[in-house]
Amino acid sequence: MNPLLSRFFAYYAPYRGLFLLDFGCAVLSGLLELGFPIAVQAFIDRLLPGGQWGTIVLAGAALIAVYVLNTGLMAVVTYWGHMLGINIETEMRRKAFAHLQTLPFSYFDNVKTGQLVGRLTKDLEEIGEVAHHGPEDLFIAVMTLLGAFALMFTVHPGLAVLTAVIVPVVLWVTTRYGNRMTANWRRLYDSVGNFNVRIEENVGGIRVVQAFANEAHERELFARDNARYRSTKLEAYRIMAASTSLSYLSMRLTQMIVMVAGAYFVLRGGLSAGGFVGFLLLVNVFFRPIEKINSVIETYPKGVAGFRRYLDFLDTAPDIRDRPGARVAPALRGDIRFQDVSFGYGVGREVLSHVSLDIRPGETVAFVGPSGAGKTTLCSLLPRFYEVTGGRVTVDGQDIRDLTLASLRGQIGTVQQDVFLFGGTLRENIAYGRLGAGDAEILEAARRARLGEVIELLPQGLDTLIGERGVKLSGGQKQRLAIARMFLKNPPILILDEATSALDTATERAIQASLTELARGRTTLVIAHRLATIQNADRIVVVDESGIAEQGTHAELLARGGRYHQLHEAQARA
Ligand code: ADP
Ligand code: MG
C-alpha cells in the first residue's frame, strides 16, 4: 500500500469499533438509497394497475419505515463519524505536541513559531475532516456507482449503455480540477502560516514596533501577506466555480438526454412507465457519488496537504535524544570534564575547537572574554542543548551522552540573562522549578531569592498574574524569580549565564548576594560580563576566539599581565 495511506490508516487502529459502526451505517444507508428507484418502479408497474388501496397504503407505510430507518443511520454517521474524525485529530495533535517537545534547540533556531502553530491547529482540523469522510465517501461512491449501473442494466440495457458512455465525460470534467486544487491548498496553508508568523511576531514585538514608530512598515508587510492569501483563495474559488458549474451542467445534460432516449424506448414499447421513472431516479442516484466526488475534491486535497506537512514535521528526527541503553544519572557530584571538545552550529565555522577543561565538584568557575567568543555555547553543551561534534563531555566520569536527558537536565540549573516566564501567576512560575511544590516551599525559595518582600507587598501575593512573558515584572524581579526557581530545583550543577548583566549595578549587587547563596555547595559555571562580580571565583577562565586563552585565580591572572589583565584594565577605566 502507498506509504502515505498506510500511515494514515494506522491512526484508525484504536477506533476500529467506531469505524465499523460509522462505515456499516453509511453503507447500509447507501444501499437503501439504491433500492428506492426499484421500489418506485415496482410501485408504478405492479401496484398501480391493481388499484388496491390497502396494498398501496401498506407499501407507502413500508417506505416511510425505511426512510425513518435511513434517517437514524444518517444521524449515527453524522455524530459517530465525526467522533471518529475528532478522535484521530486529537491523537495526531497529541503526538505532534509531544514530538515538538523532543526537538533540539537547533530545530527551533530555524523555525517560525506561527508556522508551527498553524500545523498544530488548522492542518490537523482538515485532516480530521478527511479522516472521517475520506474512506466512507470513497467506498460509498464506488458502491453506488457500480450498484446503480447494475440496476440500470436490469431495467434497460440499451439506456444503461448510453448512460455509461456519457458519464466518463462528466467524471473527467469533475476530477481534472483535483490536482490543481491540491497545489492550491498547499499554497493557501503556507500563506496562513505566514499570517500566523506575522501576527505572532507583532504581538510579541509590539513594544519594538511602537518604539520605532514602524507601524506603517508592519502594516505594509502584513498587507502583502494578506493580498497573497486573498489571491490564492480567489484562485481556489475560481477552480471551484468552474468545476461545480461544469459538473452541474453535464449532469443535467445527461439527465435530459436519458429522458428523451427513454421516451423513445417507452413509445417503441421496450420500457414500462415504472421502468422509465425508475431509470431516471437511478440516474440521479448514479450522480450522487459524482457530486460527492466534488465535495471530496474540496476537502480531500486539504487533508492530504495537511497530512503531508504533519508527516514532514513528525519525521524531523530529534538528533539529541536518549541513546539506546542510556542510564538514569545517579545523584551527581559535579565533576565536569570537557575533553577535546569541538562544536559548530550547522555547517559554518567551528565555534569551539579542541577545548579541554576540568571542573572539580563544588568549584565555581567563571568564564570571561569578548562577546561571541563561545562562552554560552560551551556551557550549553553540558545539558546537551547542543551536541558536541568532536570530543566528549563527562560528568562524574560518565559521558553525558550515556545518561538520559531527563536525569542529566534534572540536575543542572540554568539562569540566563533573559528569563523566559509563562503568562500565569507568580506561584506557577516559581513552581516551574519543581512541579508540585507546596506554597511553603515556594515561599521559602522566594525568600532566599529575596523575592519575599515583593510578594508580601502584592495584594494578591503568589496569585498575582505577571502578564505575558512576565511583562509586569522589573528586570531584577524576573531574575529573582529565576533564582527562586533554582532554589526549588536545587540542582548540584549550576550555570549562570550573564544572569545579572542586563541589570544596573545596584540591583546587580543585591542579586549577587542571592546568587552567591545559590552557588554554595554546587558546581557552578558563571559567565560574567562585569569582572567585578566574579573576582572571588575559585577559577577564572578567559575564553577568546582561539579557545581558552588563560586560566587561574583573579590574583594569578592579574599578576600574569595577559588577556585578563587587559580586560580588567579596560573595565576599570570605563
Ligand atoms: P558568547 O556567549 O561568548 O558571547 P556565544 O556562545 O553566544 O558567545 O556565541 C559564539 C558564536 O556562535 C557567535 O559567533 C554566535 O554568532 C554563534 N552562535 C551563537 N548561538 C548560535 C545559534 N543558535 N545558531 C548559530 N550560531 C550561533
Ligand atoms: Mg553569551
Side-chain angles (χ1 to χ4, degrees), residues 206-495:
I206 192 69
R207 290 165 188 81
V208 179
V209 173
Q210 295 187 355
F212 281 99
N214 275 347
E215 291 91 341
H217 170 69
E218 292 295 332
R219 271 200 303 276
E220 205 172 288
L221 290 179
F222 189 79
R224 214 174 296 158
D225 284 346
N226 215 0
R228 195 171 310 134
Y229 177 78
R230 176 179 172 277
S231 64
T232 317
K233 194 117 202 201
L234 277 183
E235 167 75 5
Y237 288 138
R238 210 176 57 75
I239 301 172
M240 216 180 335
S243 86
T244 44
S245 48
L246 273 178
S247 62
Y248 172 81
L249 178 67
S250 38
M251 274 181 219
R252 291 296 170 251
L253 276 179
T254 314
Q255 278 173 329
M256 293 312 108
I257 292 170
V258 168
M259 195 172 80
V260 174
Y264 170 79
F265 288 124
V266 171
L267 291 179
R268 262 195 31 186
L271 184 61
S272 67
F276 182 56
V277 176
F279 197 95
L280 280 177
L281 289 174
L282 275 174
V283 172
N284 258 337
V285 173
F286 194 67
F287 276 128
R288 203 159 306 136
I290 295 177
E291 273 169 23
K292 203 134 217 175
I293 286 172
N294 258 326
S295 87
V296 169
I297 281 177
E298 211 190 304
T299 56
Y300 183 74
K302 290 193 220 175
V304 173
F307 191 61
R308 271 187 210 285
R309 286 166 49 121
Y310 168 76
L311 288 187
D312 277 351
F313 174 67
L314 224 52
D315 292 344
T316 325
D319 37 17
I320 300 182
R321 58 181 155 193
D322 289 345
R323 264 186 190 173
R327 288 188 305 274
V328 171
L332 297 175
R333 291 182 309 121
D335 178 2
I336 301 164
R337 286 161 206 242
F338 291 87
Q339 300 178 339
D340 198 32
V341 165
S342 297
F343 175 78
Y345 294 97
V347 275
R349 73 183 176 95
E350 283 197 326
V351 175
L352 302 169
S353 165
H354 304 287
V355 172
S356 292
L357 181 72
D358 291 356
I359 300 172
R360 293 186 306 277
E363 192 180 13
T364 294
V365 175
F367 296 87
V368 302
S371 175
K375 305 179 295 293
T376 299
T377 306
L378 183 69
C379 289
S380 62
L381 296 178
L382 182 57
R384 288 181 72 200
F385 291 147
Y386 295 90
E387 198 94 285
V388 296
T389 43
R392 58 186 206 140
V393 182
T394 65
V395 179
D396 295 1
Q398 311 179 73
D399 191 317
I400 54 174
R401 286 169 294 193
D402 292 332
L403 303 174
T404 64
L405 279 175
S407 68
L408 175 71
R409 292 177 180 170
Q411 300 192 60
I412 301 174
T414 314
V415 183
Q416 276 151 326
Q417 185 170 340
D418 31 48
V419 179
F420 189 94
L421 298 174
F422 296 96
T425 60
L426 271 173
R427 175 187 291 104
E428 285 160 359
N429 271 284
I430 299 175
Y432 212 74
R434 179 152 48 83
L435 298 179
D439 273 11
E441 295 168 291
I442 292 173
L443 283 171
E444 170 64 8
R447 191 190 59 71
R448 296 177 77 179
R450 313 282 201 278
L451 199 60
E453 305 95 89
V454 179
I455 294 175
E456 269 162 36
L457 287 177
L458 290 166
Q460 279 157 314
L462 282 178
D463 291 316
T464 307
L465 291 167
I466 62 169
E468 198 172 14
R469 296 186 187 173
V471 287
K472 296 187 188 171
L473 299 180
S474 73
Q477 287 166 344
K478 282 193 210 169
Q479 287 305 336
R480 289 197 166 119
L481 204 159
I483 295 167
R485 276 180 183 170
M486 281 310 132
F487 274 117
L488 259 192
K489 181 171 178 176
N490 195 21
I493 299 170
L494 198 59
I495 298 170

Side-chain angles (χ1 to χ4, degrees), residues 162-197:
L162 176 71
T163 317
V165 171
I166 306 173
V167 165
V169 180
V170 179
L171 267 180
W172 176 75
V173 169
T174 52
T175 50
R176 60 181 287 229
Y177 292 98
N179 289 338
R180 283 170 62 189
M181 272 312 241
T182 309
N184 191 267
W185 282 118
R186 250 193 123 109
R187 277 202 303 281
L188 199 63
Y189 275 18
D190 285 338
S191 23
V192 171
N194 289 343
F195 259 171
N196 288 342
V197 170

